[in-house]
Amino acid sequence: MTHSRAQAKPSGNWLALKKKASISSTKSSKSQSGDDRPRKRQRSERQTSVATVSSVDSAEFKHASSSKASAFVSPSAADLPASKNGESLPWLRQMILGELEYTTAQQAPGKYLALDCEMVGVGIDGAESSLARVSLVNYYGAVQLDEFVRQRERVVDYRTQYSGIRPADMVNAKPFNEVQAKVAELLKDRILVGHAVFNDLKALLLSHPRPQTRDTQHLAGKHKLTRSRYPALRNLVQQELGMTIQSGEHSSVTDARATMALYRLHRKEWERGKRMPLPELLGAISKGNSKKRKHDSVDGQESDPTTEFPGGGRKGISSGLSVVVKRSWNHKTEEGVEERSHSSAGKKKGSTQWWKQLGDGPAKGSISSKAR
């Protein structure tokens, strides 16, 4: 009976069960080895890895582009004219990008200087701003000063994404007093151009005469270049020059050049009605006094230049001076009484000294005997 059982064939249910068990064991071994992962999961992981690589590449490209220049010409520049108000827009764009070659005369400071500063964060959570970089460019965009400022306090936030400043920039930074003195010397008797320039002057602890200051933010709002009363520099440059600046890390040199380009573009309009700076005003007055005065004409004929008029001035025009009568004082010390007398040139023969007769009459306020 035992022999019959050994020779018995397995049933169909047993074969099916064995086959199913082998298939399940094969799938489990493949899943453990990782060769048969779901396609959907592989696709998602592949997309994640590609996105990570692309983000790293874009960050590196952004850093590389911002280190070279923080401005570029946008496609909207094609819609703008080649020139405006006598200024070439392509030339101004090259000036902002720093692509110009300057002559010796164009490298001099000149009459106009544009200022821009960059800040870092100090204090609690880096909320307090501290001056870290100062840049000055002239009328043609040539750099006159570009210095990093040494910090007296610990820098909490370098604000690199906005300021473009890193800890390595502070290695050769100069003291605040030295940079401040250089800026003050360069700005002396010159016209200062800046965008919200009062913030830069406040950071430098400097002041500048108002007639010699040109704030592009104030002037653009006053002349209604944009709807905003206090437009941002990047918006003005985009609108007027078709350029994009401050897209990545900021550069104080680029911002100063952009400010000067805006001022040059609207200088004639913005200078109308401006008070003349004091040095120019004094020069104009001295120049006008050195020239001969033109005299009024009567019936088309000029009056005699040798003719003198009372108090000076021209015929028909009051000089505003009154006639002054010269008097002299004679001090007599016999009785300690001071008496005034006319000068000898003004005396006439037979004139009486009427003031000496005042004492013979009745005193002021008394009643005379005749009246009684």
Side-chain angles (χ1 to χ4, degrees):
M1 190 164 203
T2 305
H3 179 70
S4 62
R5 286 182 179 178
Q7 293 181 351
K9 297 182 179 180
S11 63
N13 293 336
W14 171 251
L15 293 175
L17 182 61
K18 186 178 180 181
K19 185 177 181 181
K20 187 175 181 180
S22 63
I23 293 172
S24 61
S25 62
T26 304
K27 288 185 178 180
S28 62
S29 63
K30 287 184 178 180
S31 62
Q32 290 178 2
S33 62
D35 296 332
D36 189 16
R37 289 178 292 181
R39 293 183 179 179
K40 190 173 182 181
R41 184 178 179 184
Q42 289 180 359
R43 188 177 301 171
S44 62
E45 291 181 357
R46 188 176 301 170
Q47 290 177 353
T48 305
S49 62
V50 171
T52 305
V53 173
S54 62
S55 63
V56 172
D57 293 342
S58 62
E60 292 179 355
F61 174 78
K62 185 177 180 181
H63 174 69
S65 61
S66 63
S67 61
K68 293 180 181 179
S70 61
F72 60 90
V73 181
S74 63
S76 61
D79 301 332
L80 297 175
S83 62
K84 185 177 180 180
N85 298 333
E87 293 286 347
S88 174
L89 295 186
W91 191 92
L92 292 177
R93 295 189 193 105
Q94 289 182 353
M95 183 184 79
I96 296 175
L97 294 173
E99 298 177 351
L100 296 177
E101 294 182 0
Y102 303 106
T103 61
T104 305
Q106 292 176 344
Q107 292 178 357
K111 179 181 177 181
Y112 300 90
L113 288 178
L115 171 68
D116 191 78
C117 299
E118 298 294 345
M119 313 289 177
V120 293
V122 297
I124 301 176
D125 297 331
E128 186 178 353
S129 297
S130 177
L131 180 67
R133 186 181 180 184
V134 184
S135 299
L136 279 169
V137 300
N138 66 359
Y139 192 73
Y140 301 98
V143 178
Q144 304 298 311
L145 178 72
D146 186 21
E147 296 288 352
F148 290 96
V149 182
R150 186 182 304 164
Q151 299 301 304
R152 299 178 180 177
E153 302 180 35
R154 185 177 68 88
V155 179
V156 179
D157 186 6
Y158 280 93
R159 306 176 184 176
T160 306
Q161 67 273 21
Y162 305 113
S163 65
I165 298 175
R166 293 174 172 79
D169 298 327
M170 293 298 161
V171 176
N172 298 322
K174 295 184 179 180
F176 174 81
N177 296 335
E178 183 178 345
V179 177
Q180 183 191 47
K182 287 183 178 180
V183 174
E185 182 64 25
L186 283 170
L187 293 180
K188 186 178 180 182
D189 298 333
R190 289 188 172 92
I191 294 179
L192 171 62
V193 182
H195 192 83
V197 71
F198 57 89
N199 292 326
D200 301 324
L201 292 175
K202 183 179 179 181
L204 283 163
L205 301 180
L206 291 175
S207 62
H208 199 68
R210 191 169 182 179
Q212 294 178 256
T213 305
R214 305 291 184 267
D215 194 331
T216 55
Q217 185 184 60
H218 171 73
L219 292 171
K222 180 180 178 181
H223 293 271
K224 299 180 180 180
L225 290 184
T226 60
R227 294 182 179 180
S228 176
R229 190 175 179 182
Y230 304 102
L233 179 62
R234 61 179 178 273
N235 296 335
L236 285 174
V237 174
Q238 175 68 41
Q239 174 183 316
E240 300 297 319
L241 294 165
M243 292 190 66
T244 302
I245 64 171
Q246 300 178 351
S247 57
E249 298 177 6
H250 295 197
S251 171
S252 54
V253 174
T254 303
D255 293 347
R257 285 171 172 164
T259 305
M260 182 60 76
L262 281 175
Y263 174 73
R264 290 187 57 166
L265 201 58
H266 299 280
R267 181 175 63 90
K268 295 180 181 179
E269 180 184 1
W270 289 350
E271 288 295 335
R272 292 174 186 172
K274 277 282 184 182
R275 289 183 293 175
M276 189 179 297
L278 184 59
E280 295 184 7
L281 182 61
L282 295 177
I285 292 175
S286 61
K287 185 178 180 180
N289 291 338
S290 62
K291 295 182 178 179
K292 294 182 180 179
R293 292 181 178 180
K294 294 182 179 180
H295 300 273
D296 295 337
S297 59
V298 180
D299 297 333
Q301 297 179 358
E302 292 187 359
S303 59
D304 186 7
T306 60
T307 305
E308 296 181 359
F309 300 97
R314 294 180 293 172
K315 183 179 180 180
I317 300 178
S318 173
S319 63
L321 300 177
S322 59
V323 179
V324 179
V325 179
K326 184 178 180 180
R327 297 178 181 274
S328 63
W329 290 79
N330 292 333
H331 302 274
K332 294 184 179 180
T333 57
E334 293 180 356
E335 297 178 357
V337 180
E338 295 181 357
E339 297 181 353
R340 288 183 298 176
S341 63
H342 292 288
S343 61
S344 58
K347 287 186 178 181
K348 294 183 180 180
K349 293 183 179 179
S351 61
T352 58
Q353 296 181 351
W354 52 270
W355 57 88
K356 291 185 178 181
Q357 300 176 1
L358 294 177
D360 299 339
K364 185 177 180 181
S366 63
I367 301 176
S368 61
S369 58
K370 293 181 180 181
R372 293 177 186 176

